[in-house]
Amino acid sequence: QLQLVESGGGLVQPGWSLTLSCKASNFDLDRYAVGWFRQAPGKEREGIACIGSDSDPTVYRNSVKDRFAISRENDKHTVYLRMTRLQVEDTATYTCAAGDLCTFFSPQDSYSHWGQGTQVTVYS
């Protein structure tokens, strides 16, 4: 069964950092672009970062581009999202997805494999 599994979420205070991981099982993640998406309660899902199959390109949502960094280790079938200077507004369920292109456009059509998500809560 093809799977993406996220980990690394948690409960943190503003200004803290977290690193999320997205690990693939039973397929070659290195062939795919990977996107990170988040959804807060009552809000639309939004794309926040994506990375091409060979780590190029990397694309970020404006609200996170100076604080978050996406990277990958293809030999470990894993993509990371390093999040620094977390803000209360970053509270959401974070989900990774694998697809052919690094894009935030029409994610449900652009990405073929999705994880279940990991919760990030930033409380003050």
Side-chain angles (χ1 to χ4, degrees):
Q1 183 180 359
L2 308 182
Q3 275 191 316
L4 287 173
V5 179
E6 301 93 338
S7 61
L11 189 64
V12 298
Q13 293 184 330
W16 288 23
S17 300
L18 283 174
T19 299
L20 306 183
S21 298
C22 170
K23 185 171 176 59
S25 297
N26 300 319
F27 71 102
D28 290 331
L29 189 62
D30 56 325
R31 296 172 51 203
Y32 293 86
V34 175
W36 280 100
F37 298 83
R38 69 183 180 188
Q39 187 167 21
K43 294 188 176 181
E44 297 283 322
R45 181 173 57 192
E46 59 185 18
I48 54 172
C50 66
I51 187 168
S53 59
D54 59 355
S55 298
D56 181 54
T58 56
V59 180
Y60 298 92
R61 187 176 191 83
N62 283 341
S63 61
V64 307
K65 66 181 180 180
D66 295 326
R67 301 184 294 120
F68 291 8
I70 190 170
S71 61
R72 65 191 302 159
E73 289 187 292
N74 283 340
D75 57 337
K76 296 183 179 179
H77 307 295
T78 303
V79 171
Y80 306 96
L81 184 67
R82 174 67 173 167
M83 306 187 295
T84 65
R85 291 180 281 138
L86 282 162
Q87 303 167 359
V88 173
E89 296 74 28
D90 295 317
T91 295
T93 299
Y94 286 70
T95 305
C96 65
D100 292 332
L101 293 174
C102 177
T103 180
F104 297 151
F105 179 74
S106 190
Q108 208 57 41
D109 297 323
S110 300
Y111 292 87
S112 52
H113 305 297
W114 290 81
Q116 294 298 307
T118 186
Q119 179 67 35
V120 173
T121 302
V122 187
Y123 70 100
S124 59

